[in-house]
Amino acid sequence: MTPVITARDISLTFTTADGPVHALKDVSLTINPGDFVSFIGPSGCGKTTFLRTIAALETPTGGTLSVNGMTPDAARKARAYGYVFQAPGLYPWRTIAGNISLPLEIMGFSRADRAQRIRRVLDLVDLTGFGSKYPWQLSGGMQQRASIARALAFDADILLMDEPFGALDEIVRDRLNEALLDLWKKTGKTIGFVTHSIPEAVYLSTRIVVMSPRPGRITRVIDSPLPRDRPLEIRDTPEFIALAQQVREGLREGHGYD
Amino acid sequence: MTDAAANGGVNPALRGGLPILTVLLAIVAVWYGAAVWMNAPWVRDQAARAEATLTAPDLIRQTLTLDRPVLPAPHQVAAGLWDGIAGQKITSKRSLVWHGWVTLSATLAGFAIGTMAGIALAVGIVHNRAMDQSVMPWAVASQTVPILAIAPMVIVVMASAGVTGLLPKAIIAAWLSFFPVLVGMVKGLRTPDAMQLDLMRSWNSSPAQVFWRLRLPSSLPYLFASLKVAIAAALVGTIVGELPAGATAGLGARLLSGSYYGQTVQIWSALFAAAILAALLVMLIGALERLTLRRMGLA
């Protein structure tokens, strides 16, 4: 299997007035097609920065990174990924359908193709019939689903998500986690997912990457033994709890709660 | 005491209007008082020459009905305004509608030029590093030069080049109105946050796409706020442009000829006509703003 993302010794150092900040140091990771990889760690561990280097929104200062066999920037230009931020970032002056249409217009899809794609991704995120609504008419969870639909509309193989459910309450979050798993099974996308939440990481991922700060680095990579089919109740099983325990230990050895 | 008790039995519809009406009445009362006080010396002087004795009611009546008062009374200005707007054929040179139209047309032309210049400069500043660092100081400098000093030069220079009428005045109006648009639009075009710009980048958008689909729509609330300032400034600029010698048309010319001949009622009528025109223009833009922003979900 050819890996989708290969990172070898990635470093990223920001120069600030207080001296250099090592956001990433010697990060190596391979992500295979169809993987669901979560990045977890305390603030400043570089999990978001690493996701952004994959998306070519940041440029590493050292190491090699390839996405779909290209440089990250070439992959960005080839529209290899859809990116979902913590905030939905929907335009208030466009309807939900209009918002999903935005990247499609930018990429030059035909009108008919756009309409068909919008319908399909709205179905996929369970927002059928909400296309003509404006963002303010939807709840926070629905808005975030619309932003996921927008990231899916142009059929990128990779979905990069930066704490997409971080601003939502736990009940909505549970539902969206289930919906995301369902969507991942249906589409077979490769997903990179940044989170603060141990249960979320364990519930969703095939692999969990535990990171720690100063300098930002990977301390542990845990392959999940859980099956791909995961009802919410799986979170009460001993396997799930043991896995969560491993992640917690990884986090503890990483930064020692200083 | 609760609000309801404080308002007593006042009709709720009047509650908003009552304070405004009170202030208006107070202004009118002060104005009448000032008119009596400022016109009294002249009336007393006339009475002394005629060796007549003046009772207080006589004094007050005469101070409020002078042909050329130092300060005309509100009803005299109202009558002058009414006569200027409704009492004349609108093609007459005594019609405030005709003068108002002359001023309005130059104002709108200047406003259009100024707005386009302001937007163009703002687009340049937001997209070009060199312009970002160099344009703003010049724009600020342009506004610190007194417009009263610039206006005659523009009029004279352009007249010597054979350009008279609307265009020189419009240029002075544009000079004043481009600045608020420039400042507002630089701020407005920069409102999209890093996340929205990153999203655009993740879709590999061209700078033009970022501009038309993100920056420009995001900037509209700022644009409308600026346009309200700009249109009032354009009117001031036009009137100032009508003051230099030679202008025979426009509210500015009306102000000037009134002051030549001591026609204070005419001056005040023209002043009020200008104020009403400004208020109407600002209200028009306000209505346009509400309509647009509500439709865009930004209001």
Side-chain angles (χ1 to χ4, degrees):
Chain A
M1 198 153 44
T2 346
V4 179
I5 295 159
T6 317
R8 201 164 299 124
D9 301 325
I10 292 296
S11 295
L12 204 163
T13 309
F14 294 111
T15 338
T16 69
D18 300 332
V21 172
H22 300 284
L24 292 173
K25 194 165 188 330
D26 301 331
V27 171
S28 298
L29 188 73
T30 306
I31 299 178
N32 290 318
D35 272 358
F36 195 127
V37 180
S38 284
F39 299 88
I40 190 166
S43 331
C45 71
K47 54 192 191 298
T48 292
T49 308
F50 184 58
L51 205 69
R52 289 174 61 85
T53 57
I54 297 173
L57 297 174
E58 307 280 356
T59 312
T61 43
T64 54
L65 181 58
S66 91
V67 177
N68 278 353
M70 298 174 252
T71 66
D73 207 49
R76 175 179 69 83
K77 287 179 178 148
R79 282 132 183 182
Y81 66 85
Y83 205 103
V84 179
F85 289 85
Q86 181 167 2
L90 301 168
Y91 292 1
W93 57 89
R94 282 177 176 247
T95 60
I96 296 303
N99 270 288
I100 297 172
S101 174
L102 180 65
L104 302 177
E105 290 165 25
I106 286 169
M107 296 172 190
F109 287 89
S110 75
R111 181 181 288 273
D113 197 7
R114 290 204 301 264
Q116 182 261 325
R117 281 165 181 271
I118 290 165
R119 218 173 312 119
R120 200 193 66 217
V121 293
L122 278 176
D123 285 348
L124 212 52
V125 299
D126 209 12
L127 281 177
T128 314
F130 284 93
S132 55
K133 296 270 189 255
Y134 281 87
W136 58 269
Q137 295 172 300
L138 271 58
S139 69
M142 290 163 97
Q143 289 185 22
Q144 194 57 289
R145 261 153 50 204
S147 92
I148 294 171
R150 182 180 55 190
L152 293 171
F154 46 94
D155 282 334
D157 299 330
I158 306 169
L159 191 56
L160 301 175
M161 309 177 90
D162 186 1
E163 295 188 46
F165 310 137
L168 304 171
D169 68 62
E170 199 157 337
I171 301 162
V172 177
R173 203 175 173 140
D174 274 356
R175 277 225 316 278
L176 289 187
N177 279 342
E178 259 187 303
L180 181 60
L181 271 186
D182 191 41
L183 190 149
W184 169 62
K185 267 184 297 188
K186 275 190 216 155
T187 57
K189 304 230 183 260
T190 309
I191 299 182
F193 189 95
V194 167
T195 180
H196 268 122
S197 154
I198 297 174
E200 190 172 65
V202 175
Y203 178 58
L204 294 173
S205 323
T206 56
R207 290 169 89 201
I208 302 158
V209 178
V210 183
M211 298 182 73
S212 80
R214 287 178 298 274
R217 64 195 185 278
I218 294 177
T219 49
R220 221 185 246 206
V221 178
I222 304 165
D223 283 305
S224 172
L226 300 178
R228 289 208 164 200
D229 261 322
R230 298 174 185 184
L232 264 182
E233 301 78 59
I234 204 170
R235 298 187 299 184
D236 301 320
T237 61
E239 291 86 355
F240 188 96
I241 293 163
L243 196 56
Q245 182 63 31
Q246 274 190 57
V247 175
R248 199 167 292 118
E249 274 165 19
L251 287 169
R252 195 169 301 154
E253 75 195 28
H255 73 131
Y257 295 109
D258 47 345
Chain B
M1 197 161 61
T2 65
D3 270 348
N7 280 310
V10 175
N11 180 342
L14 278 178
R15 218 173 283 163
L18 203 61
I20 298 173
L21 204 66
T22 311
V23 170
L24 193 66
L25 283 176
I27 291 172
V28 170
V30 169
W31 189 348
Y32 268 111
V36 171
W37 184 64
M38 291 177 78
N39 297 332
W42 163 264
V43 173
R44 278 207 199 90
D45 194 37
Q46 291 296 100
R49 284 182 198 200
E51 294 181 354
T53 45
L54 273 175
T55 61
D58 278 342
L59 176 75
I60 291 173
R61 186 162 13 87
Q62 286 183 35
T63 52
L64 299 181
T65 51
L66 293 174
D67 265 350
R68 293 177 176 190
V70 177
L71 177 65
H75 68 269
Q76 290 179 295
V77 174
L81 199 56
W82 179 252
D83 180 59
I85 292 171
Q88 313 285 336
K89 277 208 301 201
I90 57 165
T91 49
S92 158
K93 289 225 165 189
R94 298 166 61 90
S95 167
L96 280 175
V97 177
W98 181 74
H99 286 288
W101 166 249
V102 171
T103 301
L104 176 66
S105 53
T107 300
L108 292 180
F111 174 66
I113 299 170
T115 301
M116 283 189 289
I119 293 176
L121 284 173
V123 170
I125 284 176
V126 170
H127 286 90
N128 182 297
R129 241 184 106 70
M131 278 185 80
D132 185 19
Q133 289 169 347
S134 62
V135 172
M136 212 37 126
W138 289 103
V140 173
S142 78
Q143 302 302 299
T144 58
V145 181
I147 193 66
L148 275 171
I150 298 278
M153 292 198 299
V154 173
I155 302 286
V156 169
V157 168
M158 292 193 73
S160 72
V163 183
T164 55
L166 182 140
L167 194 60
K169 292 191 287 179
I171 284 175
I172 296 163
W175 182 286
L176 285 189
S177 62
F178 91 92
F179 188 66
V181 176
L182 169 63
V183 173
M185 279 306 272
V186 167
K187 174 90 182 146
L189 291 172
R190 286 190 170 145
T191 42
D193 56 24
M195 189 200 82
Q196 282 173 315
L197 292 170
D198 278 344
L199 259 179
M200 280 299 206
R201 193 172 145 75
S202 81
W203 300 326
N204 197 24
S205 324
S206 67
Q209 287 168 329
V210 175
F211 177 77
W212 288 108
R213 287 164 207 270
L214 176 61
R215 286 192 192 273
L216 193 65
S218 308
S219 73
L220 287 186
Y222 294 84
L223 176 64
F224 278 112
S226 304
L227 289 183
K228 282 195 227 169
V229 181
I231 193 124
L235 184 68
V236 170
T238 304
I239 289 175
V240 169
E242 285 166 349
L243 290 178
T248 52
L251 294 174
R254 197 77 183 144
L255 281 175
L256 198 67
S257 73
S259 74
Y260 278 158
Y261 302 111
Q263 296 288 351
T264 44
V265 176
Q266 180 187 326
I267 297 176
W268 281 84
S269 303
L271 265 181
F272 269 83
I276 292 167
L277 190 59
L280 288 177
L281 289 171
V282 172
M283 276 162 62
L284 184 73
I285 293 189
L288 218 64
E289 175 184 31
R290 275 193 301 281
L291 209 74
T292 313
L293 296 190
R294 200 170 296 158
R295 276 195 59 162
M296 288 179 66
L298 289 174

